[in-house]
Amino acid sequence: MIIAAQIFATAAALLHIYIFSMESITWTTGKTRALFKTSEAEAEATREMAFNQGFYNLFLAVAALAGVIALGMGHLAVGSTLVFAGAGSMLAAALVLALGSPGKAKLAVKQGMFPLLSVALLALGLALGN
């Protein structure tokens, strides 16, 4: 189960790296604006906020990936802690999105599914000793 948790943590990290790239690099492009349903003026007005928010996503991805690597190297306590911190924060952010913007619930589910599976499988794997 811990290996499955690592796979889902990696998937969550990759998704959040993609979100980072959209928010911090391509925020004002037509494709990203269409995905986030923002006008050119809204994208320009929120550019600095999105840039900052993108880096939050990147840092969570780095924490989760560092945990996956540590687990792979046999460092159970450190790896688990990093995966719980990184993926757990991703999951919490998805919950905040769903509760704060009910119209974005589908997006929140997409954003939170991989972290949820990672956290749940890691907790179960640790509890069962595998």
Side-chain angles (χ1 to χ4, degrees):
M1 281 191 219
I2 292 175
I3 291 172
Q6 289 174 276
I7 292 168
F8 284 113
T10 300
L14 292 174
L15 175 61
H16 279 72
I17 290 169
Y18 176 63
I19 294 169
F20 154 76
S21 72
M22 289 187 296
E23 291 176 340
S24 295
I25 299 169
T26 65
W27 184 248
T28 57
T29 66
K31 183 178 177 182
T32 299
R33 284 189 292 108
L35 185 65
F36 283 89
K37 297 180 178 135
T38 58
S39 68
E40 189 173 349
E42 289 170 326
E44 282 299 330
T46 58
R47 185 180 200 153
E48 289 180 18
M49 180 275 312
F51 183 79
N52 189 1
Q53 185 171 304
F55 273 89
Y56 277 91
N57 284 299
L58 178 63
F59 300 147
L60 295 177
V62 168
L65 287 175
V68 167
I69 291 167
L71 283 169
M73 295 174 64
H75 302 291
L76 189 62
V78 170
S80 297
T81 300
L82 286 167
V83 169
F84 281 135
S89 293
M90 292 173 190
L91 177 58
L95 289 172
V96 168
L97 179 60
L99 296 172
S101 301
K104 296 182 180 175
K106 286 183 182 179
L107 180 60
V109 169
K110 290 178 185 178
Q111 179 181 322
M113 191 55 62
F114 290 147
L116 172 64
L117 291 169
S118 177
V119 167
L121 289 169
L122 182 56
L124 193 56
L126 292 172
L128 298 176
N130 63 17

PDB file of all heavy atoms in Angstrom, residues 95-108:
ATOM      1  N   LEU A  95     -10.143  20.939  -0.488  1.00  0.00           N
ATOM      2  CA  LEU A  95     -11.336  21.109   0.350  1.00  0.00           C
ATOM      3  C   LEU A  95     -11.714  22.583   0.493  1.00  0.00           C
ATOM      4  O   LEU A  95     -12.887  22.938   0.431  1.00  0.00           O
ATOM      5  CB  LEU A  95     -11.107  20.478   1.727  1.00  0.00           C
ATOM      6  CG  LEU A  95     -11.057  18.960   1.759  1.00  0.00           C
ATOM      7  CD1 LEU A  95     -10.632  18.458   3.145  1.00  0.00           C
ATOM      8  CD2 LEU A  95     -12.401  18.362   1.376  1.00  0.00           C
ATOM      9  N   VAL A  96     -10.702  23.439   0.655  1.00  0.00           N
ATOM     10  CA  VAL A  96     -10.959  24.879   0.754  1.00  0.00           C
ATOM     11  C   VAL A  96     -11.578  25.383  -0.546  1.00  0.00           C
ATOM     12  O   VAL A  96     -12.527  26.176  -0.524  1.00  0.00           O
ATOM     13  CB  VAL A  96      -9.656  25.642   1.084  1.00  0.00           C
ATOM     14  CG1 VAL A  96      -9.831  27.142   0.896  1.00  0.00           C
ATOM     15  CG2 VAL A  96      -9.202  25.330   2.506  1.00  0.00           C
ATOM     16  N   LEU A  97     -11.055  24.919  -1.672  1.00  0.00           N
ATOM     17  CA  LEU A  97     -11.612  25.311  -2.964  1.00  0.00           C
ATOM     18  C   LEU A  97     -13.076  24.887  -3.081  1.00  0.00           C
ATOM     19  O   LEU A  97     -13.928  25.674  -3.486  1.00  0.00           O
ATOM     20  CB  LEU A  97     -10.792  24.712  -4.106  1.00  0.00           C
ATOM     21  CG  LEU A  97     -11.276  25.009  -5.528  1.00  0.00           C
ATOM     22  CD1 LEU A  97     -11.277  26.508  -5.805  1.00  0.00           C
ATOM     23  CD2 LEU A  97     -10.412  24.265  -6.533  1.00  0.00           C
ATOM     24  N   ALA A  98     -13.365  23.658  -2.722  1.00  0.00           N
ATOM     25  CA  ALA A  98     -14.740  23.145  -2.824  1.00  0.00           C
ATOM     26  C   ALA A  98     -15.693  23.888  -1.896  1.00  0.00           C
ATOM     27  O   ALA A  98     -16.813  24.219  -2.289  1.00  0.00           O
ATOM     28  CB  ALA A  98     -14.769  21.650  -2.517  1.00  0.00           C
ATOM     29  N   LEU A  99     -15.266  24.157  -0.686  1.00  0.00           N
ATOM     30  CA  LEU A  99     -16.131  24.836   0.279  1.00  0.00           C
ATOM     31  C   LEU A  99     -16.246  26.330   0.007  1.00  0.00           C
ATOM     32  O   LEU A  99     -17.308  26.922   0.199  1.00  0.00           O
ATOM     33  CB  LEU A  99     -15.617  24.605   1.700  1.00  0.00           C
ATOM     34  CG  LEU A  99     -15.657  23.145   2.182  1.00  0.00           C
ATOM     35  CD1 LEU A  99     -14.949  23.009   3.520  1.00  0.00           C
ATOM     36  CD2 LEU A  99     -17.081  22.638   2.265  1.00  0.00           C
ATOM     37  N   GLY A 100     -15.160  26.932  -0.465  1.00  0.00           N
ATOM     38  CA  GLY A 100     -15.160  28.366  -0.708  1.00  0.00           C
ATOM     39  C   GLY A 100     -15.763  28.761  -2.045  1.00  0.00           C
ATOM     40  O   GLY A 100     -16.249  29.878  -2.203  1.00  0.00           O
ATOM     41  N   SER A 101     -15.702  27.857  -3.001  1.00  0.00           N
ATOM     42  CA  SER A 101     -16.232  28.128  -4.347  1.00  0.00           C
ATOM     43  C   SER A 101     -17.005  26.906  -4.822  1.00  0.00           C
ATOM     44  O   SER A 101     -16.481  26.107  -5.610  1.00  0.00           O
ATOM     45  CB  SER A 101     -15.087  28.436  -5.306  1.00  0.00           C
ATOM     46  OG  SER A 101     -14.346  29.541  -4.887  1.00  0.00           O
ATOM     47  N   PRO A 102     -18.231  26.723  -4.346  1.00  0.00           N
ATOM     48  CA  PRO A 102     -18.996  25.523  -4.706  1.00  0.00           C
ATOM     49  C   PRO A 102     -19.114  25.284  -6.210  1.00  0.00           C
ATOM     50  O   PRO A 102     -19.216  24.147  -6.653  1.00  0.00           O
ATOM     51  CB  PRO A 102     -20.373  25.768  -4.074  1.00  0.00           C
ATOM     52  CG  PRO A 102     -20.101  26.703  -2.947  1.00  0.00           C
ATOM     53  CD  PRO A 102     -18.976  27.587  -3.418  1.00  0.00           C
ATOM     54  N   GLY A 103     -19.062  26.335  -6.999  1.00  0.00           N
ATOM     55  CA  GLY A 103     -19.126  26.181  -8.445  1.00  0.00           C
ATOM     56  C   GLY A 103     -17.890  25.508  -9.029  1.00  0.00           C
ATOM     57  O   GLY A 103     -17.897  25.089 -10.178  1.00  0.00           O
ATOM     58  N   LYS A 104     -16.842  25.406  -8.231  1.00  0.00           N
ATOM     59  CA  LYS A 104     -15.596  24.780  -8.677  1.00  0.00           C
ATOM     60  C   LYS A 104     -15.385  23.412  -8.022  1.00  0.00           C
ATOM     61  O   LYS A 104     -14.269  22.921  -7.934  1.00  0.00           O
ATOM     62  CB  LYS A 104     -14.414  25.695  -8.389  1.00  0.00           C
ATOM     63  CG  LYS A 104     -14.480  26.987  -9.178  1.00  0.00           C
ATOM     64  CD  LYS A 104     -13.296  27.865  -8.943  1.00  0.00           C
ATOM     65  CE  LYS A 104     -13.441  29.141  -9.759  1.00  0.00           C
ATOM     66  NZ  LYS A 104     -12.380  30.079  -9.482  1.00  0.00           N
ATOM     67  N   ALA A 105     -16.473  22.802  -7.586  1.00  0.00           N
ATOM     68  CA  ALA A 105     -16.383  21.516  -6.890  1.00  0.00           C
ATOM     69  C   ALA A 105     -15.754  20.431  -7.767  1.00  0.00           C
ATOM     70  O   ALA A 105     -14.964  19.632  -7.275  1.00  0.00           O
ATOM     71  CB  ALA A 105     -17.759  21.074  -6.402  1.00  0.00           C
ATOM     72  N   LYS A 106     -16.102  20.402  -9.051  1.00  0.00           N
ATOM     73  CA  LYS A 106     -15.517  19.392  -9.942  1.00  0.00           C
ATOM     74  C   LYS A 106     -14.011  19.572 -10.047  1.00  0.00           C
ATOM     75  O   LYS A 106     -13.258  18.597 -10.038  1.00  0.00           O
ATOM     76  CB  LYS A 106     -16.146  19.459 -11.331  1.00  0.00           C
ATOM     77  CG  LYS A 106     -17.542  18.915 -11.407  1.00  0.00           C
ATOM     78  CD  LYS A 106     -18.067  18.946 -12.828  1.00  0.00           C
ATOM     79  CE  LYS A 106     -19.487  18.437 -12.899  1.00  0.00           C
ATOM     80  NZ  LYS A 106     -20.022  18.489 -14.272  1.00  0.00           N
ATOM     81  N   LEU A 107     -13.566  20.812 -10.132  1.00  0.00           N
ATOM     82  CA  LEU A 107     -12.139  21.098 -10.180  1.00  0.00           C
ATOM     83  C   LEU A 107     -11.472  20.673  -8.872  1.00  0.00           C
ATOM     84  O   LEU A 107     -10.379  20.098  -8.875  1.00  0.00           O
ATOM     85  CB  LEU A 107     -11.909  22.583 -10.443  1.00  0.00           C
ATOM     86  CG  LEU A 107     -10.469  23.051 -10.532  1.00  0.00           C
ATOM     87  CD1 LEU A 107      -9.740  22.345 -11.668  1.00  0.00           C
ATOM     88  CD2 LEU A 107     -10.412  24.552 -10.733  1.00  0.00           C
ATOM     89  N   ALA A 108     -12.143  20.927  -7.767  1.00  0.00           N
ATOM     90  CA  ALA A 108     -11.603  20.548  -6.461  1.00  0.00           C
ATOM     91  C   ALA A 108     -11.453  19.030  -6.343  1.00  0.00           C
ATOM     92  O   ALA A 108     -10.471  18.539  -5.783  1.00  0.00           O
ATOM     93  CB  ALA A 108     -12.492  21.082  -5.343  1.00  0.00           C
TER      94      ALA A 108
END
